[in-house]
Amino acid sequence: MYQNQCQNQDPQLTKIFQYVDKDRSGLISSSELQQCLSNGSWEPFHIDTIKLLMSMFDINKRGQLNFNEFQALWKYVNDWQAIFKTHDRDGSGSISRDELNQTLTSFGYRLSNKTYDLFMTKFDRQRKGDIYFDDFIQCLVALKMLTEEFSKLDTDRDGFVNFGYEQFINAAFSIL
Ligand code: CA
Ligand code: CA
Ligand code: CA
């Protein structure tokens, strides 16, 4: 079974996997993942984004990624990279508030200035008015998850939910 898996592996991705797997354990740890991903500034990928990605792709919950898990993650990150590049209209390597607004609007979100203020406060970590790739992923994935949770509760689809306390706690903890 394992051999079969190896034979079917994309050779280029096998090389990437071996490069990322610094200690040659055959698995990718959080810190190995953090070292290999670049956010476009000279900072390492933010650990919160690493944790988010690990939680999404560590399917067998061993705390590390095997080849298949890594393959899925790699595709996912590359897809986000393409979205990031498309919406980084001025080619600055980061997403400004206006660019974020255009991105989210193109995904169908209708959000007020106040919400964009909040996003910039949370994700513009260097206080330069820019969001880098790691925070961009985190912002959009969190927004998508929260929106999905909300939609489950907003059964009549009017954009409002009567939240009970425990419903709120449950929804929040299912995302955290
Ligand atoms: Ca390793
Ligand atoms: Ca795993
Ligand atoms: Ca930009």
Side-chain angles (χ1 to χ4, degrees), residues 66-124:
N66 62 28
F67 185 85
N68 288 337
E69 291 168 343
F70 179 75
Q71 186 170 34
L73 174 142
W74 198 251
K75 184 182 178 305
Y76 186 77
V77 170
N78 276 310
D79 288 349
W80 275 117
Q81 184 111 54
I83 292 168
F84 184 87
K85 278 194 179 141
T86 307
H87 290 96
D88 175 19
R89 285 166 195 261
D90 64 356
S92 65
S94 57
I95 296 288
S96 66
R97 186 194 168 105
D98 279 350
E99 287 168 343
L100 184 69
N101 194 326
Q102 285 164 12
T103 309
L104 295 182
T105 303
S106 78
F107 282 136
Y109 293 105
R110 298 285 175 268
L111 303 168
S112 68
N113 278 331
K114 205 175 155 195
T115 305
Y116 283 102
D117 288 343
L118 175 70
F119 288 162
M120 293 311 282
T121 305
K122 193 161 165 56
F123 295 110
D124 171 19

Side-chain angles (χ1 to χ4, degrees), residues 27 57-66 69:
L27 295 168
F57 289 95
D58 178 19
I59 304 297
N60 62 9
K61 302 289 169 215
R62 301 272 172 87
Q64 302 203 46
L65 303 180
N66 62 28
E69 291 168 343

